[in-house]
Amino acid sequence: MSTNIKCRKISKGKTTGSAIVTKDSISFLGGVDPKTGIVIDKKHELYNQCITDKILIIPSGKGSTVGSYVIYQMAKNNTAPKAIICQNAEPIIAIGALISKIPMVDNPDSDVVTTINNNDNITVDADEALITIN
């Protein structure tokens, strides 16, 4: 049985994929290698894991405004996540998702960081403001 979670649309689109979840905020500048999609921040929970083609679930982003362009570079390199779900989006990741055409939502009506597990099959339908755990 699937579970639906209402949320807020940040960047339009709909996609389905495998979840990668972290309780740590993420900085794309210096935290993720845009050539490989691998988290390179040694202090991050996802260190050495690849976020490419995953549904990235994070509490929020952090760091420099250049992080938006790192996300854009990842999209150009085909190393970006398929979608991003934030508990609370901040402008850096929101702008990165918008300019990269990556579906993104935030403000879910449940704590997705603890509700969704790694490798869960997730559908992000930003247009309908809905997350589905399949």
Side-chain angles (χ1 to χ4, degrees):
M1 184 173 149
S2 61
T3 302
N4 291 323
I5 302 168
K6 293 181 180 179
C7 55
R8 179 178 69 159
K9 174 177 121 176
I10 301 291
S11 180
K12 69 181 180 177
K14 180 179 179 180
T15 191
T16 299
S18 181
I20 188 164
V21 185
T22 180
K23 65 183 180 305
D24 294 343
S25 296
I26 196 162
S27 173
F28 280 85
L29 179 62
V32 181
D33 183 343
K35 293 179 184 168
T36 64
I38 294 174
V39 177
I40 56 174
D41 177 353
K42 291 182 179 177
K43 296 178 183 173
H44 199 278
E45 180 183 19
L46 297 179
Y47 174 66
N48 229 13
Q49 294 186 53
C50 186
I51 63 173
T52 301
D53 291 330
K54 301 281 187 176
I55 307 295
L56 178 62
I57 302 170
I58 56 177
S60 67
K62 64 178 183 178
S64 167
T65 55
V66 178
S68 300
Y69 298 101
V70 174
I71 296 169
Y72 182 72
Q73 188 61 52
M74 291 178 74
K76 292 292 183 194
N77 292 343
N78 296 313
T79 60
K82 286 180 100 171
I84 301 171
I85 301 171
C86 282
Q87 287 288 109
N88 298 296
E90 43 66 60
I92 296 165
I93 291 185
I95 291 167
L98 285 163
I99 65 175
S100 304
K101 297 181 171 66
I102 297 169
M104 181 177 166
V105 296
D106 82 338
N107 201 23
D109 63 8
S110 70
D111 182 356
V112 291
V113 172
T114 58
T115 304
I116 299 173
N117 298 306
N118 282 322
N119 301 312
D120 280 355
N121 188 36
I122 305 295
T123 298
V124 176
D125 188 344
D127 302 329
E128 298 296 323
L130 196 65
I131 301 162
T132 304
I133 306 170
N134 301 312

